Amino acid sequence: MSVSRILKWVTGGLEAVLGIPFLGGMIVISLFYTPLVIMLALHIVTLVLTRKDGRESTGSILGIITSCVAWIPFVGMVMHILTATFLMIDAAKPDQVAGEAVQTQVE
């Protein structure tokens, strides 16, 4: 399993926790919005490694946007849940073996 895929699982799990109604908001507010800055940094690192591996980067880009707008109460909750979903779907996709090409068979 690649480092970018592991980071997608980690950031997806953290986003899921932050997306829990009231609990996520309490965590963010009680820590003076520091979790949003930490998540922004994690999403940027994940994006760089994901691009390096040639994998889908939709979840990481959405995570960066989420970290920037998550201070808005209900918008943040919805964005955390969406980001967690996209990251975990991306992370669940298997790594491609070097040199292995995805081929479609036309009959």
Side-chain angles (χ1 to χ4, degrees), residues 1-2 5 53 55 93-102:
M1 189 179 307
S2 65
R5 194 168 164 204
D53 291 346
R55 296 178 52 90
K93 294 178 183 175
D95 291 331
Q96 285 186 353
V97 178
E100 177 183 300
V102 178

Side-chain angles (χ1 to χ4, degrees), residues 3 6 8-10 28 34 37-38 40 56-57 63-64 67-68 70 75-76 82 95 99 106:
V3 175
I6 293 169
K8 283 184 181 186
W9 280 115
V10 170
V28 170
T34 305
V37 176
I38 293 169
L40 177 64
E56 286 187 43
S57 56
I64 292 169
S67 296
C68 294
V75 173
L82 285 173
D95 291 331
V106 179

Side-chain angles (χ1 to χ4, degrees), residues 46-76:
T46 304
L47 177 64
V48 169
L49 293 175
T50 298
R51 289 275 173 100
K52 182 181 172 189
D53 291 346
R55 296 178 52 90
E56 286 187 43
S57 56
T58 308
S60 298
I61 293 169
L62 190 58
I64 292 169
I65 295 167
T66 299
S67 296
C68 294
V69 300
W71 56 271
I72 304 170
F74 293 103
V75 173

